C-alpha cells in the first residue's frame, strides 16, 4: 500500500521560499505520477503541480507557474516542491499525491489519487 509522507512546511513572510518533500514508499515510484495539491480553509483542494517519478512532463497550475518547481529523486523515492516568491494566497495545507498517470485533469483532487497527510504552509504579509 502506498505511503506518502510530507515535510518541509512552515511559516514564512511573503517573498520567501520553502521546499516541500514527500517520501514515497510501497509504490512503484518511477513512471508513475506524483502531484502536489493544496487546500486553503473554506476552499476545495486544488492541483498545484505534477510530474512523473524519475522525470518527464511537468504540469503546473497557472497561479504558481514561474514560482514553484516540482522535481523527483528516484533513488530517494522523493518528490519535491520548491516554492519561491511565496504569496499570502499560497497559504494552505499542502498534500502529496500519487496515481498512475498525469495526463488529463491532473489538477482535480479526485479518488484516482492516493494522499499523504499534508504539511501546513503559512505565508504572512
Amino acid at each position: 500500500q502506498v505511503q506518502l509522507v510530507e515535510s518541509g512546511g512552515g511559516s514564512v513572510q511573503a517573498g520567501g521560499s520553502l521546499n516541500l518533500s514527500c517520501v514515497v514508499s510501497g509504490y512503484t515510484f518511477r513512471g508513475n505520477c506524483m502531484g502536489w495539491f493544496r487546500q486553503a480553509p473554506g476552499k476545495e483542494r486544488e492541483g498545484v503541480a505534477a510530474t512523473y517519478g524519475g522525470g518527464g512532463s511537468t504540469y503546473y497550475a497557472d497561479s504558481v507557474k514561474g514560482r514553484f518547481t516540482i522535481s523527483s529523486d528516484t533513488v530517494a523515492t522523493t518528490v519535491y516542491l520548491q516554492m519561491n516568491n511565496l504569496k499570502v494566497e499560497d497559504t494552505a495545507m499542502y498534500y502529496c499525491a500519487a496515481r498512475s498517470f498525469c495526463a488529463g485533469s491532473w489538477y482535480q483532487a479526485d479518488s484516482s489519487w492516493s494522499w499523504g497527510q499534508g504539511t501546513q504552509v503559512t505565508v504572512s504579509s
Side-chain angles (χ1 to χ4, degrees):
Q1 184 174 353
V2 58
Q3 287 191 316
L4 306 161
V5 180
E6 303 97 333
S7 62
S11 298
V12 296
Q13 290 192 321
S17 298
L18 284 172
N19 188 27
L20 305 184
S21 299
C22 172
V23 178
V24 182
S25 61
Y27 193 67
T28 302
F29 187 81
R30 185 184 291 276
N32 282 307
C33 185
M34 306 298 167
W36 285 98
F37 289 73
R38 66 186 180 187
Q39 188 167 18
K43 294 189 176 181
E44 293 187 352
R45 192 172 297 188
E46 63 177 2
V48 175
T51 190
Y52 287 97
S57 299
T58 55
Y59 306 81
Y60 293 97
D62 288 343
S63 58
V64 307
K65 282 181 181 176
R67 300 188 299 121
F68 291 10
T69 302
I70 189 170
S71 62
S72 66
D73 182 337
T74 54
V75 175
T77 62
T78 299
V79 59
Y80 304 96
L81 185 69
Q82 176 66 43
M83 305 186 294
N84 298 327
N85 191 21
L86 282 160
K87 302 178 180 181
V88 172
E89 52 264 39
D90 294 319
T91 295
M93 183 71 79
Y94 282 71
Y95 297 90
C96 180
R99 74 178 189 184
S100 61
F101 62 96
C102 286
S105 303
W106 65 268
Y107 45 85
Q108 290 186 345
D110 58 27
S111 59
S112 67
W113 294 95
S114 297
W115 300 97
Q117 294 300 306
T119 185
Q120 178 67 38
V121 171
T122 303
V123 185
S124 59
S125 60

